[in-house]
Structures are given as C-alpha cells and as structure tokens.
Amino acid sequence: MENLRQKLAMAVKSIQWSYAIFWSISTAEPGVLTWCDGYYNGDIKTRKTLQAEEMKDDDEDELGFQRTEQLRQLYEVLSVSAGGEREPQTRRPSAALSPEDLTDTEWYFLVCMTFEFTNGQGLPGRTLAKNSSTWLCNAHFADSQVFSRSLLAKSASIQTVVCIPYLEGVVEFGITAMVLEDEDIIKQIKAFISDPATQKVVEIPLELELEYDQTLVTKATHNSPKNSLNHHCFQSQEQSWQFVDDEEEGEEISVYHNNNNNNNNNSSSSSDCISQNLVSGPSNLWTEDDSRYQSVLSKIFNNTQRLILGPHSRSCSYNESAFMSWKNHNGMELERNRKGSCSQMLLKKVLFEVPKMHEHEDDTKNLNHRFSLLSSMVPCRGKVDKVSLLDDTIDYLQTLERRVKVLESNEDRKNKKSQQHDMIQMQERTCDNYYGNKRKACCDVEDLQVEEEEEESCSSDCITVSAIEKDVTIEIRCRWRENMMVQVFYAISSLNLESYSVHSSNVDGILTLTIESKLKSCTASTAKMIRQALQRVIGRSCSSF
Amino acid sequence: MDTSTLESQLRSDNFVTYESPYTLYSMAISSAAASHRRIALGSFVEEYANRVDIVTFDEETLSIKPIPNLSFDHPYPPTKLMFHPNPKVSGDILASSGDFLRLYGVRENSVEQISVLNNSKSSEFCAPLTSFDWNEVEPRRIGTSSIDTTCTIWDVEKGVVETQLIAHDKEVHDIAWGEAGVFASVSADGSVRVFDLRDKEHSTIIYESPQPDTPLLRLAWNKQDLRYMATILMDSNKIVILDIRSPTMPVAELERHRGSVNAIAWAPASWQHICSAGDDSQALIWELPTVAGPNGIDPMSMYTAGAEINQLQWSAAMPDWIAIAFTNKMQLLKV
C-alpha cells in the first residue's frame, strides 16, 4: 500500500496536480469501485503535527504523506462517529486534524473516500468499463450523470479530472485549474505508476473501509433523517466546526445508534441498495447521487452537530414535537411573499405607531399644561372644559381691551378737557366710541355663537358677556321690542346679578344695551350661562317678529 | 415518516393554546424556579389602557391558567416584556418598555410597580422605547432602545442612567446584549452596530441593509455562540445571520418564509439553531449548516399556526418549548 501511495504521490507531484486517487474493485462486491488509496497534493490550510510523531520540518515528502494519512484518519474518525452500528469502543483515537483545518479541496478529497461506483457508473466506472482513459474538463459544470461529484467539485473548484485504467481499478487525478486534454500528461502519469515491480501487488482495501462504505450506502438510500443539510458547498466550514469532548460524544452516539436501528431494519445490505440503484435506471442516477451525497454529508456533519445540541433537540423523541419536518410539506406551494401593506402589521405598529401614541400624549399633556396656565390667568367661573375656558378667555380679552380703551380715553380727556366734565356724558360717548370700534370683534363672537347655539336665529343679534372676577359686563344688540328691557333685567336679576350701570340706545329699531353689574354670590352663573339666559329672552323676541 | 409526523401534529400533547381577551404582542417567560412556569402576556390595544396578564404553564397536565391577581394595567401596549434573568427567591421582577422602562415586582399573589425609569433630565416625558434587553451576565444592567436614536444603559438596582449613547442616525428598533459591557442595536437607518461600554466613543457597524435605509426591525444575539447574531428587515422574508468576525457580509440568509418575518429567537441550548416566525403563519426551526449551499438553506422543521405569528420566545428556562403569539392566542409548541 505504501508503495502504491508513493507512486501516486510521485505521479501527482510530477504533473503538479491537486490529488490522486486509486479506485479499486471491491473484494466484497465485485464490479464495484471503491476508494483504495490516494495522495493529496493540493492546498493546505493548517498544518498540524502530532506531538507523538514529530517530523523533520523540511521533509516535504514526509509531510505530504502525513497530510494524506491525517485526512484518512479524519475520515475514519468521522465515519466512526457516523456509523451507528459501530460499538463505541472500536472508535479510533482522535484525528490530528479536525474539519475546520481543511481547505475546500481537502474536503473534496475526503468526501471522495465515501464514494463508490458500479461498472459504467460515474467517471471511474465508465473508465473501467471502456478500459481507456477519460479526460474531463470543466468538471465543476459537468452533468451529474457524467461526473457525479460535479457539485462537490464546484465547491472545491476542481476543474479538470482524468481517469486512467490501472491494474484492478482506475486511477484518478484532479486539479483546480483548467487543463486541456494532453496525451503527454497521461503518458507521464502512466510512466510513474506502471512500475512493473509492483504490478503484481494490488492492495485490498482494509476491511474497515469496506464497512464504512456499507454503512454509508445503507444510509444513502434512505432519506436523510434530518433534511437540513442540502446541497452543501464547502465555503465556510472553517467557521462553524466544533468538536466536543469524548464523554459527550459517547453519550450521544448511543442515542444516535438507537435512532439508526430503524433504518437498518429496513434495509438488509448495501448490495440491495446498489441493485436498486441500477434498476432505477440512469434517469434516477442524479437523485440517488444527490441524496447519497447529502446523506454522507449529513452523517458526517450532523453527528458532530448533534452532540452539541444536547438532550433538548430531537434526542428526546422527535415524534412528540409540534413541529413537522419542513421537507415533507415543501411540496405544497403556497402563495409567495405576501408583502405589502399588511406585512409585519403588528410589529410595525409596535415600532412605528405606538411611539407616536406616546408622543401624541406628550403633546396633549403639554397642551393641558398650557390650558391650566391659561385658566390660572383668566378668571375662572366653575366650569373647566376647554371650550368654556376659551370663551372666557375671549370675553376676558374683550373686557380688557375695552378697559384699556376706557383708560386711554380717560387719559386723553384728562389732558384735553376740564376736570368738571360731566361724567355721564363722557361715559355715553365712550360707549358710542366703543361700539364703533368693536363691531368687528362682535361679529366674530357672533359667528362662534352661531356655530355653537343652534337656536340663535336672528343673526343681527349679539350678546357679549364678559366677567372679571365679580364684575360682569353685558352688551346686547338686538331688535327693539316692547318689554324687552324689562325681560332682560328680570333675567339678569334671576341670575344673581346686580346691575349698577345701564346705557341704552335705540337707533332705527336696533336696541343697544350695555349693563355693568356685579355678581351677588360666587356660586353663580358663568358668562356662558348668562349669555344663554339672555339668548332665551332675545330669542323669544325673535320668534315674535 | 409523513404519517407519523402528521399524527403527532394532530395530537394535542405537543402544543397548548391560551386565549386572551386581547390581541397579544409582547411575551416573556420567567426564569424563576417554580413548579409552574410563569409567562407574562402583554396586550396590544391601540389606546392608553392595556393589560399585562400573567399565566402559568403546567407541563404535567399541559394546561395554561391565568392568575387574575397578577394581572395589571399597563399604559399603552408594552413593546417588550422580560423577566429578570436571575431572579431572587424572594421575588421575580418583570420589566416592560413603552413610554418608560418600568419594573414590576411579581409576588406570589400580587404585582406592584417598583419603578418607572425616565432617562430625560429636562422633561417629565421620556422618548418612547421600542425595546430593551436585560443583561444576563450583569443583571443590574438594562439597555433600552428609543426612537430618539439613542440607547440608554440603566443601572436598575440604583435606578439611574449609567450612560446614554446616540447609537444611530435614525430610530433604534432593538437592542441585545452580548457580554456584560457589549451590546448591539438595529435601527431604521439599516445598520447593526456593536458598542463596547469601555469605549463609548466608537461603535462598529456589523451590517448594513443592502437597499440603503431598509429599516432593520429586530435583533437576536446568539447566547450560545456570541459570534453570531440575527436580524430581520422591514417587509422582508429574510433572516440575516451575521458573524461579527466578518462584518458587512452576512454568513447566511434564511429565505424560506412565504411572508415577512416578525420575530426570531436563537435556541437556548444549541448554538446553531434558530427559530423564526412570520406573516405566513409559520414558525420555522433552522439548523445553521456548517456550509451554505448554492440553493440556500432549508429549515429543519415547521409549525403552522392559525394566523400571522407576531411574537416568538424560546427561553432557557423552558428549552423544550417555543412560545408563539398570534391574534389573541398564545401557543406553547413542543420543540
């Protein structure tokens, strides 16, 4: 075996390709090609040396062989942990390498160890069948029926593969570059490997290896128990691999062992599977290879992953799960991507709208704060709702404006006229003056009142009530009728108002009345109430027109 | 295999349903050691008056019962609820975010508000909080995310702000602790940023959404393997898996949901499993493969609920059960 590997090594090094594999006809199953030996000559990511067998660092050859051997060991370790049939004690000691140390090409080489080919199947099988060398360019794009490992090759960037019949099997060489068919290379390879001295010796695969293959094939024909690993490429394996310590591994493997019993009961031997494979015909080759590839990978990967999962994943009876396998229900195509307005509705409301509710509330709070400030400035008359507060504020402002006017004109008069001026005359004039100026403001209030009080029918009527503490000023402008004054005063006195100054005028049937009065008690009426009461009086007059 | 899984789906011993009077959004599973696990459920009513109900789950009888004594009013819908990660025997604490960060002491027969934390010194109003995360390693720390672009780190034992950082250019939508002093946040500005409290001046952008300014809505940091975190985008069926060692380039994008994704949660007991739930009414459990394939990654298993799933919790206190919320229902699903 060493001899064979050395020859493969020399050949692959001389042509500077990435790897060499010798596929030999299995002794257990005639006609089936299995991995016998190989030599890896490609890129290496991390080099590890076992402390036990220290090497001279400069010995390139030795290191090359060591790498290939380590890859083989890693494969065996992984296969052991994958093989449910295997008793834990037969496990090999841990490999020098762990999966995260491997490049994509090394992975390709390692996974190749799991492959086997019947006569005429795949690249090695066909090479054996027609007994002549096969040169495959663009292996990574090849049809899977031509080259069943094309997907793997793609991930490892293997582009060119050559198979040459050799002894009781086929040698295969591959490289990560595009190399056009070249007879010289084939000759060169043949020259290296066809040493007549070794021709008689054909290495029989280790018993162990055969068992691995059986194991893997047995599982390959069943759907992978977990469908999670689909079409793998080896792009990021360096990030995610984790190994667990031996104790944990032991536990979990026994669990896995149990799980696998089902599978094994269903299929008796690997030869069954292969015959199925053949019967199913070439059209199914891909799916077979595909599922096989998947299951090989999921065996290798999942076992290590499963260990970390702990008892909470599927190890405690998968059947009890409320979740069902995704794959099984993937067939039914539902409508795709219901995006749009109703997408993430609640989540968006929580993130985008609920905060605005708070913000809005903030505004309201701020507003309320200002209202309460306002109400502390404007004389308050019991009711605290915002509309009456605004009404009061308007009234108050009007009163203030009027007072300002009065004071201003008082000042003027003081300056311009004599001190003995008749007070009453002055006040009458002031009122006239005021009326002329305030008409516009009165109309605004009137508009408000029309909106507010439906019963108000006479649009020319106007009642303004303003109150500063207990001083209430009432202005009425309406059509004159008999008894109107009496009714107004009656209403005023029934509202606990004591009038002390009254000015009235009647021009062209329009009565203008200004009453200054005092509230008798504090329990009494708000400006609004007074206005409404007077409205009723005047309203009566309106209806009587 | 098909029939057996179907049967198990029909059997009722692998999931339990609780119906609330309200639409549910926020949800939290208590870490307190108790015979019956407590679960807090926050209502989603679009007005001031909302409720937080606390129910108990009996794993033996597979029943969920409300505890009326422990229900309380909550102003506005809580944007997130979370129990104290390591509660004392004397009493559990429930935190909620919304107009403020609030802490409630949950006793045997009563709930009382412990504190209302406001990070604004100038105003009695706090910028609304979109989410928060309670630091498991350092439980006195809670980080809140706000629409005012900041994240606030609270010392909840002292009831004071430890620090407040302008984290993003736009509203911050979620926050997640990695270590005692390291947290990450996602924002409407489309970025995932990592902050280290030892160096508050700098943050690291781990990811930016491909279409600029596609808001990122939620973030989950893998507590089993801190290299990984997951985020979801607005109006997207993708779950983006990030590796903090390879910023800007996601290690995987999980795209098998048939509607937008609403919630994600890493498995509490495994570093490579994540559950997601979306508008397609499905909860999917994914196993992150060691290698990503050309056709994308398929989920491992799925559960179909009766409506859009809005919330998802997978708690270390109850690793065998995944809690989901849709419409007014909360369901516990056996994993």
Side-chain angles (χ1 to χ4, degrees):
Chain A
M1 184 156 185
E2 284 307 312
N3 209 345
L4 174 69
R5 186 174 289 181
Q6 264 166 22
K7 279 195 272 182
L8 290 174
M10 284 193 299
V12 75
K13 280 180 189 166
S14 76
I15 58 172
Q16 295 184 326
W17 282 33
S18 303
Y19 71 91
I21 295 171
F22 177 51
W23 304 97
S24 76
I25 293 168
S26 161
T27 45
E29 296 162 48
V32 177
L33 287 170
T34 56
W35 203 90
C36 172
D37 206 347
Y39 184 82
Y40 182 77
N41 193 44
D43 292 340
I44 284 169
K45 195 172 140 201
T46 34
R47 194 178 286 283
K48 284 191 179 175
T49 23
L50 278 180
Q51 290 160 343
E53 32 180 318
E54 292 205 333
M55 301 271 178
K56 291 170 211 158
D57 284 328
D58 53 351
D59 194 342
E60 275 299 317
D61 279 0
E62 277 304 311
L63 284 174
F65 282 111
Q66 191 198 343
R67 189 66 176 189
T68 302
E69 192 53 42
Q70 284 174 349
L71 287 171
R72 184 65 190 170
Q73 278 176 8
L74 174 62
Y75 166 70
E76 285 169 8
V77 166
L78 291 173
S79 309
V80 165
S81 52
E85 297 85 351
R86 216 154 270 286
E87 293 302 316
Q89 61 264 29
T90 63
R91 279 188 295 139
R92 293 283 192 88
S94 317
L97 290 175
S98 51
E100 67 257 28
D101 301 326
L102 304 193
T103 62
D104 295 340
T105 323
E106 285 178 295
W107 263 110
Y108 173 88
F109 184 73
L110 189 142
V111 175
C112 279
M113 298 176 193
T114 69
F115 274 80
E116 51 172 39
F117 306 93
T118 54
N119 202 349
Q121 186 198 17
L123 204 62
R126 268 181 292 116
T127 306
L128 185 70
K130 64 179 185 175
N131 197 28
S132 68
S133 33
T134 316
W135 190 291
L136 179 69
C137 294
N138 284 323
H140 53 309
F141 296 129
D143 188 288
S144 55
Q145 289 183 33
V146 175
F147 185 57
S148 52
R149 286 164 288 165
S150 62
L151 199 63
L152 256 180
K154 194 174 179 180
S155 70
S157 319
I158 297 284
Q159 294 188 27
T160 311
V161 177
V162 175
C163 281
I164 304 166
Y166 174 64
L167 303 178
E168 302 293 307
V170 171
V171 282
E172 178 186 312
F173 290 79
I175 184 167
T176 55
M178 175 72 182
V179 181
L180 291 174
E181 183 159 0
D182 185 350
E183 271 304 315
D184 289 343
I185 292 177
I186 295 181
K187 277 179 191 161
Q188 203 178 342
I189 293 169
K190 281 179 175 168
F192 272 104
I193 57 178
S194 61
D195 177 5
T198 55
Q199 218 151 3
K200 56 187 185 253
V201 184
V202 177
E203 284 293 336
I204 294 164
L206 289 172
E207 198 182 51
L208 217 57
E209 290 166 13
L210 273 175
E211 283 182 51
Y212 293 145
D213 286 346
Q214 281 181 6
T215 311
L216 291 165
V217 170
T218 307
K219 285 173 201 145
T221 50
H222 294 276
N223 279 331
S224 149
K226 307 205 289 170
N227 299 298
S228 51
L229 285 165
N230 191 14
H231 303 293
H232 296 281
C233 292
F234 299 109
Q235 278 151 7
S236 60
Q237 83 273 10
E238 76 276 7
Q239 290 169 357
S240 324
W241 270 91
Q242 275 198 1
F243 260 13
V244 287
D245 52 347
D246 279 355
E247 276 181 51
E248 249 182 284
E249 207 174 342
E251 261 178 48
E252 289 297 325
I253 278 167
S254 56
V255 172
Y256 187 62
H257 180 97
N258 293 336
N259 285 349
N260 257 0
N261 279 344
N262 294 334
N263 284 350
N264 297 330
N265 294 341
N266 293 342
S267 87
S268 47
S269 77
S270 59
S271 55
D272 283 355
C273 304
I274 286 167
S275 57
Q276 277 170 17
N277 195 344
L278 291 173
V279 168
S280 59
S283 62
N284 282 339
L285 272 176
W286 168 239
T287 48
E288 282 294 329
D289 284 341
D290 191 31
S291 69
R292 164 200 168 73
Y293 170 48
Q294 266 184 48
S295 60
V296 165
L297 282 178
S298 36
K299 282 298 150 305
I300 294 175
F301 285 111
N302 285 349
N303 278 288
T304 43
Q305 291 172 1
R306 189 180 297 260
L307 309 178
I308 299 130
L309 250 181
H312 298 300
S313 73
R314 278 154 310 288
S315 57
C316 56
S317 95
Y318 187 41
N319 279 340
E320 280 177 28
S321 173
F323 288 81
M324 65 181 84
S325 167
W326 190 79
K327 205 81 184 200
N328 292 342
H329 288 262
N330 196 19
M332 42 184 205
E333 258 308 318
L334 301 172
E335 79 269 41
R336 182 119 187 119
N337 288 353
R338 282 183 292 152
K339 287 184 183 177
S341 58
C342 61
S343 131
Q344 298 170 326
M345 199 170 66
L346 202 58
L347 177 56
K348 281 182 191 168
K349 277 185 178 170
V350 164
L351 288 176
F352 307 149
E353 285 175 32
V354 171
K356 286 190 184 138
M357 291 165 66
H358 306 281
E359 285 200 320
H360 181 67
E361 175 65 12
D362 285 0
D363 290 347
T364 314
K365 278 183 183 169
N366 285 332
L367 215 55
N368 284 340
H369 182 64
R370 280 157 183 76
F371 267 114
S372 67
L373 253 174
L374 190 63
S375 73
S376 71
M377 293 166 72
V378 175
C380 169
R381 256 149 293 123
K383 258 190 135 184
V384 286
D385 70 279
K386 285 170 192 165
V387 177
S388 15
L389 180 62
L390 287 174
D391 284 346
D392 292 350
T393 308
I394 292 165
D395 290 348
Y396 182 55
L397 271 176
Q398 286 172 343
T399 313
L400 288 178
E401 273 189 74
R402 196 169 55 239
R403 296 216 162 179
V404 167
K405 292 264 175 207
V406 169
L407 288 172
E408 275 175 0
S409 55
N410 273 349
E411 281 296 302
D412 286 351
R413 268 158 222 275
K414 270 180 193 167
N415 293 340
K416 285 177 187 171
K417 304 214 168 183
S418 70
Q419 296 285 328
Q420 297 100 341
H421 196 89
D422 182 17
M423 281 295 285
I424 295 169
Q425 191 188 358
M426 181 197 81
Q427 281 192 345
E428 272 175 349
R429 284 198 194 172
T430 312
C431 279
D432 288 343
N433 189 15
Y434 163 74
Y435 179 70
N437 287 340
K438 278 312 280 188
R439 192 183 174 98
K440 193 165 183 288
C442 269
C443 287
D444 289 346
V445 175
E446 184 180 82
D447 289 345
L448 272 176
Q449 286 168 340
V450 169
E451 274 179 73
E452 203 175 271
E453 289 159 45
E454 289 172 12
E455 70 264 43
E456 186 173 55
S457 51
C458 306
S459 59
S460 61
D461 290 352
C462 176
I463 302 170
T464 309
V465 180
S466 57
I468 299 166
E469 291 174 5
K470 290 191 172 179
D471 296 323
V472 180
T473 308
I474 300 165
E475 292 170 75
I476 298 171
R477 187 171 61 84
C478 67
R479 290 198 183 183
W480 183 88
R481 70 178 155 88
E482 273 184 57
N483 291 332
M484 169 77 96
M485 296 277 275
V486 179
Q487 285 172 4
V488 166
F489 282 108
Y490 180 75
I492 286 174
S493 64
S494 70
L495 287 163
N496 280 331
L497 285 167
E498 193 178 30
S499 47
Y500 56 86
S501 157
V502 178
H503 302 275
S504 69
S505 67
N506 185 353
V507 184
D508 298 335
I510 302 291
L511 173 72
T512 308
L513 190 63
T514 305
I515 305 164
E516 309 250 4
S517 58
K518 247 189 157 58
L519 265 173
K520 277 187 212 159
S521 74
C522 59
T523 54
S525 341
T526 67
K528 198 174 177 181
M529 281 167 66
I530 297 167
R531 196 171 56 229
Q532 279 169 349
L534 292 172
Q535 196 70 52
R536 279 193 292 276
V537 172
I538 296 165
R540 235 176 278 148
S541 76
C542 287
S543 59
S544 66
F545 276 124
Chain B
M1 198 172 196
D2 276 74
T3 49
S4 68
T5 48
L6 267 179
E7 274 165 19
S8 71
Q9 175 73 11
L10 295 172
R11 271 159 50 196
S12 60
D13 60 353
N14 52 26
F15 72 93
V16 201
T17 310
Y18 172 77
E19 259 186 76
S20 162
Y22 327 97
T23 300
L24 295 175
Y25 178 70
S26 51
M27 184 161 73
I29 299 169
S30 169
S31 302
S35 56
H36 300 331
R37 187 66 58 189
R38 277 175 178 170
I39 301 169
L41 302 171
S43 69
F44 183 88
V45 186
E46 282 174 272
E47 56 184 50
Y48 184 84
N50 273 264
R51 294 288 284 179
V52 173
D53 289 335
I54 292 183
V55 299
T56 58
F57 171 51
D58 184 344
E59 212 168 333
E60 292 297 307
T61 61
L62 292 178
S63 58
I64 300 172
K65 290 196 185 84
I67 315 173
N69 286 346
L70 300 186
S71 284
F72 57 93
D73 288 324
H74 193 276
Y76 306 107
T79 53
K80 178 156 178 174
L81 289 172
M82 203 170 170
F83 280 98
H84 194 291
N86 302 300
K88 290 175 187 142
V89 187
S90 53
D92 208 352
I93 299 175
L94 178 68
S96 79
S97 60
D99 52 351
F100 298 102
L101 176 66
R102 293 162 197 269
L103 298 183
Y104 299 88
V106 182
R107 304 275 163 72
E108 198 59 43
N109 287 306
S110 66
V111 173
E112 63 174 85
Q113 186 166 294
I114 299 171
S115 50
V116 178
L117 301 170
N118 177 8
N119 62 5
S120 169
K121 292 182 190 83
S122 56
S123 161
E124 56 185 303
F125 312 113
C126 174
L129 305 175
T130 50
S131 184
F132 71 98
D133 194 24
W134 209 319
N135 195 315
E136 283 178 30
V137 189
E138 190 71 83
R140 68 185 170 85
R141 272 191 180 140
I142 286 182
T144 57
S145 59
S146 167
I147 63 164
D148 70 356
T149 74
T150 67
C151 288
T152 305
I153 309 305
W154 290 91
D155 183 329
V156 290
E157 283 172 14
K158 292 182 189 155
V160 296
V161 173
E162 198 176 315
T163 186
Q164 185 171 15
L165 304 168
I166 296 172
H168 287 269
D169 302 332
K170 290 185 178 173
E171 293 88 339
V172 191
H173 287 152
D174 204 0
I175 181 172
W177 287 102
E179 297 164 24
V182 179
F183 70 89
S185 57
V186 292
S187 156
D189 67 11
S191 66
V192 178
R193 301 189 193 194
V194 175
F195 297 83
D196 190 329
L197 293 178
R198 288 164 294 194
D199 178 13
K200 292 167 196 161
E201 299 305 307
H202 301 101
S203 68
T204 312
I205 296 185
I206 294 293
Y207 175 73
E208 280 180 300
S209 52
Q211 278 83 37
D213 293 343
T214 302
L216 302 177
L217 303 186
R218 289 296 192 217
L219 176 71
W221 202 327
N222 188 336
K223 296 283 155 59
Q224 296 293 307
D225 187 338
L226 291 170
R227 290 176 298 178
Y228 298 107
M229 53 179 92
T231 185
I232 55 175
L233 295 81
M234 188 168 87
D235 294 329
S236 165
N237 72 329
K238 263 193 270 189
I239 299 128
V240 178
I241 309 289
L242 306 168
D243 184 332
I244 56 168
R245 293 165 306 169
S246 59
T248 69
M249 194 56 199
V251 287
E253 294 190 322
L254 312 176
E255 306 180 77
R256 293 290 186 264
H257 273 288
R258 294 183 168 102
S260 298
V261 184
N262 290 322
I264 40 174
W266 289 96
S270 150
W271 66 275
Q272 62 173 166
H273 290 82
I274 185 166
C275 189
S276 62
D279 284 339
D280 57 359
S281 309
Q282 293 192 336
L284 302 178
I285 300 180
W286 309 76
E287 183 170 70
L288 291 195
T290 42
V291 287
N295 299 328
I297 298 160
D298 283 339
M300 195 169 75
S301 54
M302 57 171 267
Y303 174 82
T304 307
E308 291 91 343
I309 303 175
N310 297 314
Q311 186 60 269
L312 173 70
Q313 294 289 316
W314 196 354
S315 160
M318 224 169 51
D320 290 345
W321 296 87
I322 288 175
I324 58 169
F326 55 97
T327 62
N328 66 331
K329 295 185 180 69
M330 189 267 288
Q331 270 186 344
L332 291 171
L333 311 171
K334 188 94 198 262
V335 178

